[in-house]
Amino acid sequence: MGAQAFIALLRAHGALTRQLNAQLDAEHGLTISDFEVLLRLARAPDRRMRRVDLAQEVLLTASGITRLLDGLERAGYVERDLCSADRRVVYAVLTDEGLAKLRAAAATHFGQLE
């Protein structure tokens, strides 16, 4: 019975994720992962996080977070910032445009969750 319950949970999660992702994309041009990154940056001090920390928080690899952030940077929602004390450290910074996009998407996305 435990395995069946787990499989049902995975199916429900997958179906819900696909539905919410499709709605976010259709209404705001964002994926759930995009939305989560914007949300985490909005909640971070100074709306910035080290890219490596952000990757860990959203459960992506280094290359996965790079691809995701590249798209958000091209859209103008996120900027890259270097650390003056350590050139190996790169920050992702939420722009004003990114914050506005997040607020617009959150208004409908959180409504859909309810």
Side-chain angles (χ1 to χ4, degrees):
M1 188 58 124
Q4 288 176 336
F6 182 67
I7 290 170
L9 174 66
L10 290 176
R11 287 178 159 269
H13 175 269
L16 181 60
T17 300
R18 280 190 301 278
Q19 180 183 0
L20 291 172
N21 199 53
Q23 289 170 335
L24 265 175
D25 183 41
E27 294 179 18
H28 302 284
L30 296 174
T31 66
I32 286 180
S33 295
D34 294 336
F35 182 84
E36 183 181 5
V37 164
L38 295 178
L39 183 62
R40 289 185 184 272
L41 287 172
R43 292 181 166 188
D46 298 322
R47 297 187 335 207
R48 64 191 278 131
M49 289 180 71
R50 291 184 335 155
R51 291 166 69 106
V52 65
D53 295 334
L54 187 56
Q56 286 182 325
E57 294 236 350
V58 297
L59 305 175
L60 288 175
T61 63
S63 62
I65 197 69
T66 296
R67 282 191 303 274
L68 191 147
L69 288 172
D70 283 350
L72 293 175
E73 287 172 20
R74 280 191 302 276
Y77 304 145
V78 174
E79 293 176 340
R80 184 182 307 235
D81 192 22
L82 301 176
C83 177
S84 59
D86 186 344
R87 294 184 353 177
R88 297 170 296 176
V89 176
V90 180
Y91 291 96
V93 183
L94 184 65
T95 64
D96 290 341
E97 188 177 348
L99 184 59
K101 183 67 162 180
L102 173 64
R103 286 180 175 153
T108 57
H109 182 62
F110 290 139
Q112 292 163 352
L113 290 174
E114 292 177 12

